[in-house]
Amino acid sequence: MNSNTIILKTDEEIEFMREANRLVGMTLGEVSKHIKPGVTTLELDKIAETFIRDHDAVPTFLGYGGFPKSICTSVNEAVVHGIPNNTPLKEGDIVSVDCGTTTKCGYCGDSAYTFCVGEVSPEVKRLLKVTEESLYIGIAQAAEGNRIGDIGAAIQRYCESKGYSVVRELVGHGIGRKMHEAPEVPNYGRRGTGPLIKNGLCIAIEPMINMGSKNVVFEKDGWTVRTKDRKPAAHFEHTVAIRNGKADILSTFEFIQGTSN
Ligand code: MF3
Ligand code: CO
Ligand code: CO
């Protein structure tokens, strides 16, 4: 079995993954309580790491490919993989918080939400709203008998119709005992292409949507991906399992509070 092999999960494994993803949702909820002007992303990282460990789990990102922190915090023009640092967030910023946990049973959760810091401009709020909507539009395509390309085609069509662009360099992914498994799940593409979607498939769907052009650059810190034009980007992610023919969303935003988007 090579890394291109899609590992379908049993119902029992899916329940383990629901547990890991519920903890991710609770962690995003805990972090959300602290998002306000003046807080640093390093403080948010510490809150997340402590919360995850207090719940008998491990922050999946810490040490993953050498990533130095427990969450990714990507501010404004940073699209994904921002490293928590000492810079205080300020009124009008947006910050994507991406979180992963591995629980005792050995399965991973992965989910991300882009938060407003204080009051944010209407233009940026609209970017967040459209990106979150596109996540659910993509999830609706994650149904038995469809193809992986149907997900990205729907996300791309919707976001481009609103005047935004879709990042090409990064994609969603299969998930299970490892955070990144086959298949790749692009946020762009053509209907009817890619692997067939079957019951037991577990994938992370994660639109990365730019207000300006689709082009990104990889920063010299080795991780941060930012928009080339330095316009804002948004990122929302859910882990889903295909069960009884349709997507069962395993992660959750239900614990998130204090956001107006
Ligand atoms: N969770 C990210 C994703 O959505 C990957 C983070 S990579 C890490 O796929 F190194 F930061 F962990
Ligand atoms: Co993620
Ligand atoms: Co992911």
Side-chain angles (χ1 to χ4, degrees), residues 61 72 81 98-100 109-112 173 179-180 204 206 235 237:
F61 299 2
C72 298
H81 300 168
D98 193 344
C99 180
D110 185 10
S111 178
H173 49 92
M179 175 164 60
H180 292 148
E206 49 181 311
H235 176 219
E237 174 177 30

Side-chain angles (χ1 to χ4, degrees), residues 85-99:
N85 64 27
N86 264 320
T87 310
L89 294 174
K90 56 184 197 307
E91 181 92 20
D93 282 348
I94 53 171
V95 57
S96 146
V97 177
D98 193 344
C99 180

Side-chain angles (χ1 to χ4, degrees), residues 72-82 94-98 112-114 131 165-170 187 206-211 213-219 223-236:
C72 298
T73 52
S74 308
V75 179
N76 297 337
E77 69 267 30
V79 185
V80 287
H81 300 168
I94 53 171
V95 57
S96 146
V97 177
D98 193 344
Y113 192 93
T114 303
T131 305
S165 62
V166 179
V167 173
R168 302 298 201 273
E169 284 82 351
L170 298 131
N187 300 300
E206 49 181 311
M208 289 156 261
I209 306 300
N210 295 350
M211 185 177 277
S213 94
K214 65 181 188 310
N215 300 319
V216 296
V217 300
F218 292 78
E219 298 269 32
W223 284 101
T224 311
V225 182
R226 70 154 170 90
T227 58
K228 187 161 187 225
D229 59 15
R230 295 192 184 270
K231 290 184 181 167
H235 176 219
F236 288 83

Side-chain angles (χ1 to χ4, degrees), residues 141-157 184 186 188-197:
Q141 292 298 318
E144 188 186 24
N146 279 4
R147 291 192 177 269
I148 288 291
D150 298 347
I151 298 170
I155 292 171
Q156 180 179 16
R157 183 190 175 92
E184 291 195 345
Y188 54 89
R190 290 195 358 259
R191 281 202 68 81
T193 63
L196 198 57
I197 296 173

Side-chain angles (χ1 to χ4, degrees), residues 9-235:
K9 276 74 182 179
T10 64
D11 280 349
E12 187 188 28
E13 291 178 292
I14 289 170
E15 292 317 308
F16 290 148
M17 292 190 56
R18 197 188 307 279
E19 208 174 276
N21 277 288
R22 185 168 180 82
L23 179 57
V24 172
M26 289 166 60
T27 308
L28 290 175
E30 185 63 25
V31 167
S32 72
K33 292 190 214 163
H34 299 268
I35 295 186
K36 44 171 128 9
V39 74
T40 70
T41 48
L42 206 53
E43 288 165 340
L44 300 178
D45 178 74
K46 206 25 87 191
I47 288 161
E49 177 173 8
T50 303
F51 189 86
I52 293 166
R53 294 196 191 283
D54 284 351
H55 287 82
D56 228 5
V58 167
T60 314
F61 299 2
L62 187 63
Y64 185 91
F67 190 76
K69 299 292 171 193
S70 294
I71 53 174
C72 298
T73 52
S74 308
V75 179
N76 297 337
E77 69 267 30
V79 185
V80 287
H81 300 168
I83 304 172
N85 64 27
N86 264 320
T87 310
L89 294 174
K90 56 184 197 307
E91 181 92 20
D93 282 348
I94 53 171
V95 57
S96 146
V97 177
D98 193 344
C99 180
T101 68
T102 309
T103 42
K104 279 267 161 69
C105 49
Y107 289 82
C108 297
D110 185 10
S111 178
Y113 192 93
T114 303
F115 298 95
C116 294
V117 182
E119 204 44 53
V120 164
S121 76
E123 294 73 27
V124 172
K125 269 191 193 159
R126 179 176 177 268
L127 172 70
L128 300 186
K129 178 169 177 283
V130 167
T131 305
E132 186 173 4
E133 286 167 354
S134 81
L135 169 59
Y136 293 101
I137 286 166
I139 289 171
Q141 292 298 318
E144 188 186 24
N146 279 4
R147 291 192 177 269
I148 288 291
D150 298 347
I151 298 170
I155 292 171
Q156 180 179 16
R157 183 190 175 92
Y158 184 67
C159 292
E160 289 182 351
S161 81
K162 302 290 182 181
Y164 301 138
S165 62
V166 179
V167 173
R168 302 298 201 273
E169 284 82 351
L170 298 131
V171 296
H173 49 92
I175 177 166
R177 284 188 171 274
K178 291 204 245 144
M179 175 164 60
H180 292 148
E181 294 183 354
E184 291 195 345
V185 183
N187 300 300
Y188 54 89
R190 290 195 358 259
R191 281 202 68 81
T193 63
L196 198 57
I197 296 173
K198 298 178 180 166
N199 281 320
L201 179 71
C202 292
I203 50 175
I205 301 176
E206 49 181 311
M208 289 156 261
I209 306 300
N210 295 350
M211 185 177 277
S213 94
K214 65 181 188 310
N215 300 319
V216 296
V217 300
F218 292 78
E219 298 269 32
K220 285 198 280 294
D221 65 12
W223 284 101
T224 311
V225 182
R226 70 154 170 90
T227 58
K228 187 161 187 225
D229 59 15
R230 295 192 184 270
K231 290 184 181 167
H235 176 219

